[in-house]
């Protein structure tokens, strides 16, 4: 395994982070336990979860993933071996079963306390805001269109003050953001700098060969402001395994079970995936390993969040840490990206 530290901290984390959002839906508790055992054995010390998980989010399965991790901590006693990240769900129609008061003081305190209980721990290493409260372009919306009917009012300072109090209580150590845009990221920095408030040290956004929009304004912000990307969906919902193109996906494959998650399956994305698959096969590696190796070694990357529904997939994904792409391979990837840029933003 390779390691780094969370930006501006001495918290050591693996460059591969274990994603968990299938546990409690596509995976059982026993399967989640086996994945955590394997990951820890292979040097992965960074686990990411969210109160929302598993996905798709439903009232019936709400927070089951956190409960599974908490049960594993209780069984193994391994809490001190893991850097643990979780998230408070942002507002939205599909999170109304969780709460409807956004990132208010009451919401943050409730969410943190409930996560601690489910996770069976007394602290969270990295606490993240899952997506913005305001209306903005995320989750596959390419361009920003302003809405004058957005009821949101600027509360960045208030959120940071409330997080500061929770940090001082010892319940969380550091804070981060997720599915955030350039403007929101800089507003958090502005308030942190002006008022000596906690600094967002990570941003968890989608990033993969089919969606590299982070490389625009966000990449410059990440490098210059030292906020590390935690890349989710590095395999584009499994599309970048090549299994859908080859027709070898199993019945439990994510897009078979949940066809609405089809943002990586359009014509342009499929064309690009076929070309990436050829590059990988021409260089004697799997498309999954090439895709993950590319993400892991970006200069703005802190950790690459991998997920799997089987131990075989998990082993292959973790093994990608040993692959360094040659200049020739990177040139071939660039040619595809130049021809078909961001077909699934």
């Amino acid at each position: 395994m390779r390691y780094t530290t969370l930006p501006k901290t001495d918290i050591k984390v693996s460059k591969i982070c274990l994603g968990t959002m299938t546990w409690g839906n596509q995976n059982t508790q026993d399967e989640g336990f086996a994945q955590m055992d394997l990951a820890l054995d292979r040097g992965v010390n960074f686990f990411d979860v969210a109160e929302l998980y598993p996905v798709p989010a439903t009232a019936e399965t709400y927070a089951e993933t956190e409960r599974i991790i908490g049960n594993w901590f209780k069984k193994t006693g391994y809490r001190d071996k893991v850097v643990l990240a979780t998230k408070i769900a942002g507002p939205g129609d599909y999170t109304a079963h969780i709460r409807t008061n956004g990132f208010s003081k009451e919401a943050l305190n409730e969410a943190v306390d409930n996560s601690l209980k489910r996770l069976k721990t007394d602290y969270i290493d990295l606490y993240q805001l899952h997506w913005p409260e305001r209306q903005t372009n995320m989750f596959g919306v390419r361009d920003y269109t302003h809405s004058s009917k957005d009821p949101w009012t600027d509360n960045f300072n208030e959120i940071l003050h409330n997080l500061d109090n929770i940090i001082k209580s010892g319940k969380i150590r550091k804070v981060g953001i997720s599915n955030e845009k350039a403007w929101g990221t800089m507003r958090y920095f502005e308030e942190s700098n002006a008022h000596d408030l906690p600094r967002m040290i990570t941003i968890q956004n989608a990033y993969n060969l089919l969606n590299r929009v982070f490389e625009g304004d966000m990449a410059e912000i990440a490098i210059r402001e030292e906020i590390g990307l935690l890349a989710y969906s590095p395999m584009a919902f499994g599309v970048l395994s090549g299994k859908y193109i080859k027709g070898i996906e199993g019945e439990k494959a994510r897009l078979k079970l949940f066809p609405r998650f089809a943002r990586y399956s359009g014509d342009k994305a499929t064309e690009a995936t076929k070309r990436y698959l050829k590059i990988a096969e021409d260089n004697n590696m799997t498309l999954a390993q090439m895709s993950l190796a590319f993400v892991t070694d970006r200069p703005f990357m802190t950790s690459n969040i991998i997920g799997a529904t089987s131990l075989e997939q998990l082993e292959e994904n973790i093994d990608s840490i040993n692959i360094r792409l040659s200049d020739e391979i990177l040139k071939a990837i660039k040619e595809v990206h130049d021809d078909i840029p961001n077909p699934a933003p």
Side-chain angles (χ1 to χ4, degrees):
M1 185 48 59
R2 291 149 54 193
Y3 298 90
T4 186
T5 55
L6 294 179
K8 296 182 178 292
T9 79
D10 60 358
I11 302 173
K12 179 182 175 182
V13 294
S14 47
K15 291 286 288 183
I16 295 290
C17 175
L18 181 63
T20 63
M21 74 175 188
T22 61
W23 305 350
N25 190 329
Q26 288 173 264
N27 288 107
T28 65
Q29 174 169 283
D30 286 345
E31 289 170 338
F33 279 18
Q35 287 194 30
M36 286 183 277
D37 289 340
L38 174 63
L40 196 63
D41 185 62
R42 296 293 301 276
V44 175
N45 76 333
F46 192 18
F47 295 2
D48 178 74
V49 65
E51 65 167 347
L52 179 75
Y53 295 167
V55 173
T58 66
E60 293 72 27
T61 61
Y62 166 57
E64 186 60 26
T65 310
E66 285 191 332
R67 292 188 190 91
I68 289 171
I69 294 174
N71 291 339
W72 183 78
F73 284 148
K74 182 179 180 180
K75 176 185 176 183
T76 63
Y78 286 163
R79 175 64 186 92
D80 62 341
K81 298 181 183 295
V82 172
V83 177
L84 180 63
T86 192
K87 315 175 195 73
I88 178 175
D93 292 342
Y94 56 96
T95 55
H97 62 279
I98 301 175
R99 71 184 64 81
T100 58
N101 53 347
F103 299 146
S104 66
K105 180 179 180 179
E106 295 74 21
L108 286 165
N109 285 324
E110 175 192 79
V112 169
D113 287 345
N114 287 343
S115 285
L116 289 171
K117 290 176 185 177
R118 290 186 292 262
L119 291 163
K120 294 181 172 59
T121 184
D122 56 5
Y123 71 99
I124 294 162
D125 295 290
L126 178 65
Y127 197 67
Q128 304 156 98
L129 310 180
H130 210 155
W131 56 84
E133 290 179 288
R134 69 189 189 279
Q135 295 177 14
T136 187
N137 55 314
M138 54 185 174
F139 299 133
V141 179
R142 187 182 294 270
D143 300 318
Y144 173 72
T145 301
H146 187 70
S147 172
S148 59
K149 297 180 180 179
D150 185 355
W152 175 82
T153 57
D154 191 316
N155 60 346
F156 291 99
N157 184 280
E158 177 186 351
I159 289 172
L160 290 174
H161 268 290
N162 292 330
L163 288 172
D164 190 34
N165 288 332
I166 300 174
I167 290 171
K168 288 174 179 174
S169 76
K171 294 178 181 179
I172 59 177
R173 297 176 69 189
K174 299 295 178 181
V175 290
I177 46 183
S178 180
N179 295 302
E180 186 54 274
K181 313 298 288 187
W183 182 80
T185 303
M186 292 307 296
R187 281 291 293 117
Y188 278 116
F189 288 149
E190 183 179 31
E191 294 299 327
S192 297
N193 294 337
H195 303 286
D196 192 28
L197 290 167
R199 187 176 181 85
M200 297 298 184
I201 63 168
T202 58
I203 180 166
Q204 186 174 150
N205 282 17
Y207 182 78
N208 54 61
L209 285 172
L210 302 176
N211 176 7
R212 294 170 56 179
V213 295
F214 192 89
E215 293 178 11
D217 293 343
M218 286 307 308
E220 182 177 11
I221 290 173
I223 292 170
R224 294 190 185 276
E225 298 292 337
E226 297 181 74
I227 181 171
L229 176 61
L230 307 179
Y232 77 79
S233 290
M235 293 279 290
F237 293 160
V239 168
L240 288 170
S241 68
K243 61 188 177 184
Y244 296 103
I245 288 175
K246 294 181 177 181
I248 58 173
E249 75 277 15
E251 289 304 312
K252 291 180 68 176
R254 188 160 189 78
L255 294 182
K256 276 283 188 74
L257 294 175
F258 312 116
R260 66 180 179 275
F261 294 129
R263 72 182 75 159
Y264 297 107
S265 303
D267 291 343
K268 288 293 185 181
T270 299
E271 179 184 350
T273 301
K274 289 179 179 178
R275 290 178 61 177
Y276 288 132
L277 176 61
K278 185 176 189 309
I279 295 169
E281 291 180 339
D282 286 348
N283 288 277
N284 300 310
M285 68 180 76
T286 67
L287 176 55
Q289 290 181 322
M290 186 184 84
S291 300
L292 292 171
F294 176 83
V295 170
T296 298
D297 279 337
R298 297 304 88 202
F300 41 78
M301 193 68 55
T302 289
S303 194
N304 186 358
I305 304 174
I306 62 168
T309 52
S310 72
L311 292 180
E312 292 75 20
Q313 288 176 341
L314 185 59
E315 284 198 86
E316 179 184 9
N317 292 352
I318 293 174
D319 282 345
S320 70
I321 197 67
N322 300 313
I323 296 173
R324 300 291 183 101
L325 301 182
S326 67
D327 290 343
E328 289 183 349
I329 294 174
L330 291 173
K331 181 181 178 182
I333 289 173
K334 183 179 184 301
E335 289 175 355
V336 178
H337 182 61
D338 287 345
D339 289 345
I340 315 173
N342 298 318

